[in-house]
Amino acid sequence: MEIELFISFISFFLTALGLVIVFLYLYAIVTPYDDYKLIFEENNTAAALGFGGAIIGVAIPMFSALVNSTSYIDFAIWGVVAIIIQLIFALIVTRLGGKYSFKTKISEGVISVGILMAFLSISIGLLNAGSMSY
């Protein structure tokens, strides 16, 4: 194995991993509830499902950016675009009010709403990834 190929792999992989970590941090800021407290302190399954779906939802377009980019910079730019799209989606959905309030239902631990949040995040991730297939 050529060292240049390994260095390229490591740089793309670590950048992708770093972008996902940045996403995890920003997602927790964008949502109006404390994801980490709900998951790690209150054992809230709905929050864990929604958060897990968000992780998969950003990983899918990140994968697409890795596969379709023409350079490292191209990948990094599309990786940031993937994060922004997923965060905008989370910002909008978690601000819905009334009987469709994700904020209230996830905070209360309503599992069906956590599952819906996960599936919506994954769906947005798939659309996001498909849009990057240039």
Side-chain angles (χ1 to χ4, degrees):
M1 172 186 255
E2 294 183 36
I3 192 72
E4 293 84 19
L5 292 176
F6 182 72
I7 290 170
S8 181
F9 162 78
I10 289 296
S11 63
F12 277 86
F13 180 77
L14 290 179
T15 301
L17 189 60
L19 288 171
V20 170
I21 290 168
V22 167
F23 172 77
L24 296 175
Y25 175 76
L26 294 175
Y27 184 85
I29 291 172
V30 166
T31 56
Y33 40 84
D34 187 340
D35 294 281
Y36 293 106
K37 180 181 178 190
L38 290 172
I39 295 166
F40 292 103
E41 293 177 23
E42 299 179 15
N43 297 318
N44 185 315
T45 303
L49 286 165
F51 198 70
I55 295 167
I56 295 169
V58 80
I60 293 168
M62 197 72 60
F63 171 80
S64 182
L66 281 165
V67 171
N68 293 305
S69 355
T70 57
S71 68
Y72 176 80
I73 297 298
D74 188 43
F75 159 67
I77 290 168
W78 284 109
V80 170
V81 168
I83 289 172
I84 291 168
I85 297 299
Q86 295 299 119
L87 290 174
I88 289 171
F89 162 76
L91 181 69
I92 292 169
V93 169
T94 59
R95 296 309 189 274
L96 296 174
K99 67 180 182 177
Y100 301 112
S101 172
F102 280 81
K103 175 185 176 183
T104 303
K105 300 293 184 186
I106 287 178
S107 294
E108 292 172 353
V110 179
I111 294 173
S112 59
V113 175
I115 292 169
L116 178 60
M117 182 66 174
F119 286 164
L120 288 172
S121 295
I122 293 167
S123 297
I124 293 299
L126 287 167
L127 295 173
N128 194 353
S131 300
M132 290 181 189
S133 301
Y134 47 90

